[in-house]
Amino acid sequence: LLTSLIFAIPLAIARTTSIAILRSIAIAYSWFFRAIPSLTILFFMYYGLPALGIYLDAWTSAILGLSLTAAAYMTEIIRAGIRSVPAGQYESARALGMPFWLSMRRIILPQTMRIIIPPMASEFTAVLKGSALASLVAVAELTGQASALISLTYQPIPILASVALAYLALNSVIVGGQAFLERRYRLG
């Protein structure tokens, strides 16, 4: 989730810039990674890159593949939030002589946060649930481990119930974080 945010914020800013080449790169990135299924990206990272001489372990492949895909969706969420800030805010920053990056950091992005918190929390939840795909590229993640345990013990109900509770707990952290941030940014 953090890696995808690191990619998404500059891409979203590039998506809204007047510099055509940056905007074009951000649009192409967003289009490409939203158009291809996460599983295909994961398979390419783990099985395809070695054919090109690039070897990544399973964890790195999974983190990079899921991050690249999630970043494309988060880019569009952040871009929509940036676009929703009234034009007068940009003009005021320019009138005060603020450089672009300073106005983004101090004026535009804080206002964007109020708008993007709910869809970002939804994307975080989707990424968390999508991490189950990592078991298909040899990552020992929660769902993959549950499947292995079921085949050993023939006890699907308690194992799957435990997995469901683990996902509920992890998603509860995301929902709690969303509620905290909404309260924080509502207060101004």
Side-chain angles (χ1 to χ4, degrees):
L1 295 175
L2 292 176
T3 307
S4 60
L5 272 176
I6 291 168
F7 291 145
I9 292 170
L11 283 165
I13 292 170
R15 193 79 170 77
T16 60
T17 188
S18 60
I19 303 169
I21 188 73
L22 291 178
R23 191 175 57 252
S24 297
I25 290 168
I27 289 169
Y29 176 90
S30 180
W31 166 78
F32 182 82
F33 282 101
R34 288 187 309 146
I36 297 175
S38 298
L39 185 56
T40 304
I41 300 294
L42 287 174
F43 280 172
F44 179 78
M45 293 290 175
Y46 189 67
Y47 299 113
L49 287 180
L52 301 173
I54 302 169
Y55 297 93
L56 302 174
D57 63 58
W59 278 100
T60 305
S61 297
I63 290 170
L64 188 58
L66 292 172
S67 295
L68 290 173
T69 302
Y73 289 97
M74 290 186 199
T75 294
E76 293 304 315
I77 292 168
I78 297 168
R79 179 191 63 84
I82 290 171
R83 290 281 186 205
S84 69
V85 175
Q89 298 293 313
Y90 294 93
E91 293 166 5
S92 296
R94 242 180 276 124
L96 291 171
M98 282 187 153
F100 175 77
W101 292 108
L102 184 63
S103 67
M104 284 304 265
R105 187 171 58 95
R106 288 199 175 160
I107 296 173
I108 307 305
L109 290 178
Q111 292 179 66
T112 300
M113 285 297 294
R114 291 182 181 157
I115 297 158
I116 67 170
I117 290 169
M120 288 294 280
S122 294
E123 181 59 25
F124 283 1
T125 299
V127 170
L128 179 64
K129 292 188 296 185
S131 68
L133 295 172
S135 66
L136 299 173
V137 292
V139 172
E141 66 71 58
L142 191 58
T143 307
Q145 291 298 312
S147 179
L149 276 173
I150 290 169
S151 64
L152 287 174
T153 64
Y154 303 106
Q155 300 277 328
I157 300 300
I159 293 170
L160 292 175
S162 298
V163 169
L165 288 174
Y167 276 112
L168 281 170
L170 291 169
N171 277 308
S172 295
V173 171
I174 293 172
V175 170
Q178 175 187 353
F180 169 78
L181 288 173
E182 284 179 339
R183 278 193 311 275
R184 182 176 185 274
Y185 282 98
R186 186 178 322 122
L187 296 175

